[in-house]
Amino acid sequence: MDLEHAPEDEEFRHTARAWLTTHVPVTPLPSLETEEGFAAHRKWERTLAADRWSVVSWPEEYGGRGASLARWLIFEEEYYAANAPGRVSQNGISLLAPTLFEHGSPAQLARVLPPMASGEVVWAQAWSEPEAGSDLASLRSRAVRTEGGWLLSGHKTWSSRAAFADRAFGLFRSDPNADRPHRGLTYVMFDLRAPGVTVRPIARLDGKPAFAELFLDEVFVPDEDVIGEPGQGWRVAMSTAGNERGLTLRSPGRFTAAAERLVALWRRADPSDTALRDRVADAVIGARAYHLFTRAHADRLAAGASLGDGPGAGLGAHPGAGGLGGDPSGGLGGDSSLNKVFWSELDIALHETALDLLGAEGELAGHANDSPDQGGWADGWLFSLAGPIYAGTNEIQRDIIAERLLGLPKGRR
């Protein structure tokens, strides 16, 4: 693998860096988990989109720059290094869009992607139900056929972004007589402000409504908002799940930038504490390993590799990657599970090491006048704790790794 970027790719880096230097807000935006912050982040999405930086790897017709995977990685490195705002459109861009690229119709791509890229329409993920979290196939919310579409009823919970978002995507049981739980499901998009939808915000550990419950009472959805064939929703959903666990949700730039900030903290700390020094080194090694892991897969894809259930899982947000979130049979991509366990544990290690370096000062929240990095390490640590849980718990991912990648016998299930 050639670790040097081509001159034209380095020129792209300089262009992106210059734009970010000019446009990234000097004062951090308020939390996107508040009404005020959500509006501010939506405005930031429009700023990105105005110069085609919101979805750099998408085709130009949908608001992108048609950039290669290598350039997407470069942009992500620069974005996080610039400490640019979090992406309120992440559910749409990282999860729904790759699903549409793989399973959507041309009309759906043309209708859904441009307003997603501009931040005009922000999407929530409506996956979990009270008795269907990591065991998604046990979901009970239903879709009943009606003239011109479907009627959705049921209860979704832990729906990220739903407190303030515009639309949502989710999986519903359309054939209750199917012979297996993961059959007879249909993948639909729906309006969070449609008649019959009730949104009830759920406070996170810090009190902010990062999630919401959705109560659906015969909510009409037209046929044009069904992705893929009715009854084949599990296969479509595995594309979304593969990307959630894979690289599009957690690009390496996020971790390499955090590792750089961690090293800066260490240089101001007590040099005699060799235990902390070793933890800093381990975190930096992890971030760089993740970066190289991603580069290797991007290079293989650029060379025309067909990775199927292999290491490309999770790069499907990029049309050139072919939408490789899961294998054609509907089984989860084993490599995206390996990837998810790695980045979620790396994220916790980075933040816990930083908090230990900062001591009591690191516990200060962002609104405190003297909080280090505007409370970023404390907030980031709270968020990192959710990493081993969402997108399928790490226990489930380890089962998948053991059974599908290593060929070991089934264990806890």
Side-chain angles (χ1 to χ4, degrees):
M1 181 175 70
D2 185 1
L3 295 180
E4 297 296 327
H5 288 295
E8 54 270 28
D9 289 340
E10 286 301 324
E11 184 177 339
F12 175 86
R13 179 192 298 279
H14 294 313
T15 303
R17 184 180 297 172
W19 189 90
L20 290 164
T21 299
T22 303
H23 291 84
V24 169
V26 175
T27 303
L29 301 181
S31 169
L32 59 80
E33 311 298 356
T34 64
E35 186 171 6
E36 175 194 13
F38 198 91
H41 281 77
R42 191 196 291 267
K43 184 178 179 181
W44 168 246
E45 294 290 337
R46 290 172 177 157
T47 301
L48 285 166
D51 289 326
R52 294 182 176 273
W53 290 110
S54 66
V55 285
V56 296
S57 64
W58 289 13
E60 292 185 8
E61 63 188 293
Y62 304 131
R65 288 172 170 255
S68 65
L69 285 174
R71 291 189 181 184
W72 170 71
L73 291 170
I74 288 171
F75 176 73
E76 291 287 300
E77 290 171 17
E78 294 300 321
Y79 192 88
Y80 284 99
N83 205 22
R87 301 294 302 275
V88 74
S89 291
Q90 192 175 54
N91 281 331
I93 292 171
S94 299
L95 304 181
L96 179 59
T99 306
L100 286 169
F101 279 126
E102 187 173 2
H103 299 281
S105 67
Q108 287 175 328
L109 293 173
R111 177 167 54 89
V112 174
L113 295 184
M116 180 192 296
S118 69
E120 178 185 346
V121 174
V122 177
W123 291 81
Q125 184 183 26
W127 250 192
S128 298
E129 298 187 5
E131 297 182 18
S134 292
D135 184 14
L136 182 61
S138 63
L139 64 86
R140 297 180 178 179
S141 292
R142 62 189 186 276
V144 177
R145 202 76 173 95
T146 189
E147 184 177 355
W150 301 81
L151 294 175
L152 309 182
S153 296
H155 179 192
K156 300 286 185 179
T157 192
W158 305 117
S159 183
S160 54
R161 303 278 190 273
F164 307 113
D166 306 296
R167 292 176 63 81
F169 53 92
L171 205 56
F172 292 82
R173 190 164 300 286
S174 54
D175 181 2
N177 298 316
D179 59 351
R180 297 183 65 180
H182 65 276
R183 293 176 179 163
L185 302 172
T186 297
Y187 196 123
V188 301
M189 302 176 283
F190 58 97
D191 191 336
L192 287 172
R193 300 182 181 87
V197 178
T198 300
V199 179
R200 182 182 297 170
I202 301 174
R204 202 171 50 181
L205 184 62
D206 60 6
K208 299 183 178 70
F211 307 99
E213 289 181 288
L214 304 178
F215 298 90
L216 309 171
D217 182 12
E218 296 194 334
V219 178
F220 177 74
V221 173
D223 285 326
E224 65 180 9
D225 278 348
V226 172
I227 303 176
E229 293 295 323
Q232 300 298 313
W234 184 258
R235 182 172 184 271
V236 182
M238 292 307 97
S239 174
T240 310
N243 282 284
E244 186 172 27
R245 295 164 189 168
L247 305 178
T248 58
L249 185 63
R250 293 289 173 259
S251 68
R254 171 192 175 100
F255 302 107
T256 52
E260 289 297 321
R261 286 196 282 272
L262 184 65
V263 170
L265 285 182
W266 163 246
R267 287 176 176 148
R268 301 198 298 266
D270 178 5
S272 66
D273 192 336
T274 55
L276 267 177
R277 181 199 61 189
D278 292 347
R279 289 171 59 193
V280 172
D282 287 344
V284 171
I285 290 169
R288 293 186 180 181
Y290 187 56
H291 178 261
L292 291 173
F293 176 86
T294 313
R295 279 286 306 277
H297 297 164
D299 284 355
R300 290 180 189 178
L301 288 165
S306 178
L307 300 174
D309 192 28
L315 281 169
H318 311 280
L324 300 173
D327 68 32
S329 65
L332 294 177
D335 274 50
S336 65
S337 297
L338 188 154
N339 197 55
K340 192 267 177 174
V341 171
F342 188 85
W343 63 247
S344 59
E345 295 188 348
L346 172 62
D347 205 19
I348 292 175
L350 278 162
H351 286 86
E352 287 186 342
T353 304
L355 292 183
D356 287 342
L357 280 168
L358 288 165
E361 190 183 24
E363 306 297 327
L364 294 173
H367 58 266
N369 292 333
D370 49 356
S371 61
D373 294 327
Q374 290 82 42
W377 288 112
D379 290 343
W381 176 69
L382 290 175
F383 185 78
S384 74
L385 298 178
I389 301 172
Y390 66 80
T393 65
N394 280 10
E395 287 81 1
I396 294 291
Q397 305 316 309
R398 285 190 164 92
D399 282 345
I400 293 171
I401 292 166
E403 296 166 15
R404 302 184 188 180
L405 284 181
L406 305 179
L408 298 175
K410 290 187 177 181
R412 78 189 89 198
R413 288 180 293 174

